[in-house]
Amino acid sequence: MGERARTSWSARRLWAALPKGFVYRAMTKAKRLFEREQATEKISSLLQATRNGAGSVLFITGASGIGKTELVHRAQDLATAEGFMILRARGSETERDFAYGMVRQLFEPALANASSHERARWFSGAASLAQPLVDPSFSAQTNGPLPASTSDPAFPVLHGLYWLCDNLARECPLLISVDDVQWADQASVRFLIYLARRLEGLPILVAVAARASEESAGLLSQLESDLPVETCLPDALSAEATAAMLRSAIGDGNDSFFGACHASTGGNPFLVTELISALRSAGVNPVDASPSVVSRMGPPGVAKSILLRVKSASHEAPVLAGAVALLGDGADLRRAAELSGLDIGAAGAAADALVAAEILRDTRPLEFVHPLVRHAIYAGLSPSERAFAHGRAARLLAEDGEPVERISTHLLEAEPNGDRWVVKTLRQAAGESLSRGAAGAAIAFLRRAVREPPSPAERPQVLLELGRAEQRVAPVKAVEHLTEAFGLQDDPQARARTGLELLRALFNAGRVAEAVEVVDRSLQGLGDANPGLAMQLEAELVSLLRLGIATSPLADKRLERWKGKLEGRTPPERVLLVHLAIVSALSGADAATVADLAEKSLGGNKLLAEQSCESNLAYISLYPLLCADRYDVVEVFLKASFIQARELGSGLGFALSSGWRSFLLNAKGDVREAEADGLVAFEFALSSPAIPPAILAGTLEGLIPALIEQGEFDRAEGILRRCSFDAELPDAVPFRFLLASRGYLRLAEGKDELGLKDFTELMAREERTGPTNLFLTPYKSLAAIAASRMGRWHRAMDLAQEALIKARSLGAPRALGNALRFAGMVQPGQAGLDLLYEAVEVLEPSPARLVYASALTDLGSELARMGRHKEGMEKLRAGLDLAHRCSATRLEQRAHGKLVALGARPRRPAIAGEESLTASESRICRMAFDGLSNRDIAEALFVTIRTVEQHLTHGYQKLGIHSRDGLRHVLRSAQSTV
């Protein structure tokens, strides 16, 4: 990064916006630190590396008072000298329930005075997703909710914050320093982890200080799992350093006295500092003082000493110190004055007195010299004083227009009093927290609202909101609160809407029978008053009973009444049509009938808009459409889902869309692109703890077959091992697809017995709980091949015939062509050859190019085996050419080998140009060719710019070019797709 960028005008503007106290401290001489030379050297080294683009994390941890905060300040001072932009925050016990409270500390001061031009630049691209959270002017203008997703509302915020950091770091290297992270809210901690995992190539140093605890050890473990973290573990001061610290503060003294001081404090810098203050207050002379004096002023008396210093500072100091302790570090003097009942002049004088007494730092806003000082003062307040003051603080913050979440953190500590304003504020705060994915904070606010309590008329709604928030993190409590809300509702329509939430909670708790009863009671109460709501209840129940494309007798029975009656005009109708399409497929309807129902359920793209790109339900209709070879409809849907995922910043939506596109591309025969889509979906799902194993398994439905077709067996096995999917798999629908793909992999590797075992297990599951109509992975036909290889001819013939009968009933070219060619391979003689001829005939007009190439190769091989070499070679050459265009390496090698064995000399195309690239390199090079910038590509693929740069660099090297301009010559001839 150039010197001009580091000292840009905008960076200076940003620096000027930082708190004055911080600027003052940075510009004055740094406080002397004893025995911290090694830590200082490490910090300096990391800052130098950061300037050169080597982003990293520094984790400072140790006992309370050991000097972590001073090291954080030293990092800020050194970074200032290096021209860094500094964003800082400090965790606080008072704001642990304020979602993103620490994140706001980092960004709001820096953005408060930014110009509209600067904001437009900093919040460009995906960073705009974070603007409503951290930009005060944006919040004041719009007061609108953040873009929310259905499964993980926090992800768009994290995604936007990451790109905001990237934008800022492009102008000036960043130091993000966070002190006392053990008290940070969970949403902010999640951001730190998200950012830390994406620091490669960015000039950002994240310096985190935490008190040694089980919680901070867990955070360190999460950080270290994905990247190297530099740790700093400051030790207690030696006896010599303790003596030096005492001499510098109170003068020379006798060795026995200083030795007693070290023994009393254990060399803890904070305790030494407090001891120094106590010695000064007592007028102790270190030259002739007895060591016994120290024992009366040691650690047991620290809190007492602090309170005495506060009391003696001035008459008004105790009340102001109590107000600041309650408001937390960063308190505004005016607000602290109002809370303490002082006028601004008296409050200012009290603050100066507390600075002189070494209780507060000499900064604005107000800040304690150490968290332990704040804790001692806060603990010195009686419970009733704290509760009253927190309630008063909430009112003051509300008058100043502070965010409702910050206000509500004080209401959590206030005494319940039946105040409607309190209930309203807590409900608003819960809604804000939920919109950003902070369910824990929302639950805390709503539970406190219940305790206020709300009015009898308001109570059912508060319980409904609480139960909805609790569904994921406290399912048992969710059922309890939603059941109470359901029973309290007098209005049938309100009861039915509560029933919708209770239905979901009961399913999450595995109480299916009760869920069905709730729906029936709700429907009975509704009567004919609201047909749309009644249908919504039915649609929700059926969706939960069926859980995707699995069969469910109870759900299918409820669906019977809707057959032939739905046109897909309303959202519930579209949901019911989704399931009717699947039921039709499972019951043996023909492909056209099934696909018509599925296409109708999409309603253009209305189903996607209603369910979102993150809902599995939005994608279920794609399965019967793929089975029916209606690839164009699927392609249009997936294009829209990709756009929606990017607009929402939805990583899950991107993973689902990519996984399904991989499935589509495999069906069409575009193997390399199928690998690229499947790989990005898999890597994203694997790196996201919030994504469940079933969705992770779903991302492999296209990726594993794509790797098999390219002969990448080891890579496929490695992926299965990474997820522990190489062992026994659960019996859920995505795992059935995976079981079929794994069986196919075993078969391709020549492990016929293992392959047949997977196929047999899959068939057993289908018999136990109903079929899932896996036409896209012809597992029964593949099982027939495995059985035939093992000499089990009768079993092979039965399986092949059963698969062929079902495929003829469906009537879709790809499914039928696959069943025909596998049956032809099992059936001996002319009968088998006829089946292969029919397979080629069926597949020739089909868009499924790879299956067609396979049928040509199979037919050519069988013709050659029967002595019809000329015709066989003709089919093999056609199969070879098509396999090459599909990037199906394994099939290409088989066709080539057969031709060579027949005496032909087919040319093996040289691996050059785009074919030399990996699937991911090819995709990124093509996006660059299409004119997208590195940033555009990174945002579209939910990866870092560094990742894009690395893929382009490797791609350029393989292509023998040096820039984007060279792509025009290399890729222009390869624009057509299979």
Side-chain angles (χ1 to χ4, degrees), residues 802-822:
E802 184 181 344
L804 183 54
I805 290 171
K806 287 188 175 181
R808 287 195 188 281
S809 174
L810 180 69
R814 182 176 185 271
L816 180 55
N818 253 330
L820 285 164
R821 74 184 187 87
F822 285 124

Side-chain angles (χ1 to χ4, degrees), residues 517-820:
E517 182 184 347
V518 164
V519 171
D520 288 339
R521 285 173 58 193
S522 300
L523 291 172
Q524 185 178 2
L526 272 177
D528 298 326
N530 192 331
L533 181 55
M535 186 181 290
Q536 186 179 359
L537 279 161
E538 285 281 10
E540 186 78 17
L541 177 60
V542 168
S543 295
L544 290 169
L545 285 168
R546 300 194 73 255
L547 290 176
I549 61 174
T551 56
S552 166
L554 182 56
D556 296 350
K557 182 179 179 181
R558 298 187 83 103
L559 278 169
E560 280 291 328
R561 59 180 289 215
W562 303 106
K563 283 186 177 178
K565 299 179 181 178
L566 303 175
E567 293 298 324
R569 294 191 181 95
T570 66
E573 282 192 33
R574 285 187 278 275
V575 170
L576 289 169
L577 279 169
V578 169
H579 298 297
L580 284 170
I582 296 297
V583 169
S584 297
L586 298 178
S587 60
D590 64 275
T593 300
V594 173
D596 286 345
L597 283 170
E599 192 167 351
K600 190 182 291 185
S601 74
L602 296 179
N605 282 326
K606 291 179 181 176
L607 182 71
L608 175 64
E610 293 152 4
Q611 298 295 326
S612 98
C613 59
E614 293 194 338
S615 169
N616 272 316
L617 185 63
Y619 297 90
I620 291 174
S621 288
L622 302 188
Y623 179 72
L625 289 166
L626 286 169
C627 288
D629 296 352
R630 293 199 184 174
Y631 302 151
D632 53 342
V633 178
V634 176
E635 203 151 9
V636 169
F637 176 93
L638 290 177
K639 183 177 181 180
S641 68
F642 271 112
I643 292 171
Q644 188 188 83
R646 184 170 183 179
E647 289 175 347
L648 291 177
S650 170
L652 176 57
F654 168 75
L656 286 170
S657 301
S658 298
W660 276 95
R661 188 166 183 266
S662 178
F663 217 176
L664 166 67
L665 291 165
N666 258 320
K668 291 174 67 175
D670 195 342
V671 174
R672 280 169 60 81
E673 282 294 306
E675 180 199 344
D677 273 287
L679 196 58
V680 293
F682 166 71
E683 293 291 353
F684 182 88
L686 187 65
S687 65
S688 304
I691 292 183
I695 290 180
L696 177 62
T699 65
L700 300 180
E701 292 163 11
L703 176 57
I704 295 297
L707 294 173
I708 294 170
E709 299 303 342
Q710 295 177 89
E712 297 274 4
F713 304 151
D714 288 344
R715 282 184 65 200
E717 289 283 6
I719 285 171
L720 292 174
R721 283 194 299 272
R722 284 175 69 187
C723 313
S724 299
F725 290 161
D726 55 336
E728 185 176 351
L729 298 173
D731 188 14
V733 173
F735 291 104
R736 291 190 182 183
F737 281 94
L738 182 58
L739 195 57
S741 295
R742 194 176 74 181
Y744 182 29
L745 174 60
R746 303 286 189 258
L747 201 62
E749 292 174 315
K751 302 173 183 176
D752 299 332
E753 188 170 349
L754 287 175
L756 185 57
K757 182 180 178 182
D758 279 346
F759 296 135
T760 302
E761 172 60 25
L762 180 52
M763 286 184 275
R765 293 181 181 188
E766 301 263 292
E767 289 174 7
R768 284 196 304 269
T769 58
T772 48
N773 202 26
L774 294 171
F775 284 112
L776 286 177
T777 306
Y779 66 100
K780 285 190 177 179
S781 295
L782 290 168
I785 297 297
S788 68
R789 288 183 184 175
M790 298 169 68
R792 303 176 187 177
W793 302 109
H794 293 296
R795 176 66 170 153
M797 294 285 287
D798 289 345
L799 287 168
Q801 190 62 24
E802 184 181 344
L804 183 54
I805 290 171
K806 287 188 175 181
R808 287 195 188 281
S809 174
L810 180 69
R814 182 176 185 271
L816 180 55
N818 253 330
L820 285 164

Side-chain angles (χ1 to χ4, degrees), residues 380-404:
L381 301 172
S382 70
S384 58
E385 285 176 320
R386 287 199 295 265
F388 175 80
H390 276 297
R392 172 71 177 140
R395 294 282 184 175
L396 291 173
L397 293 174
E399 291 171 8
D400 286 345
E402 288 287 335
V404 289

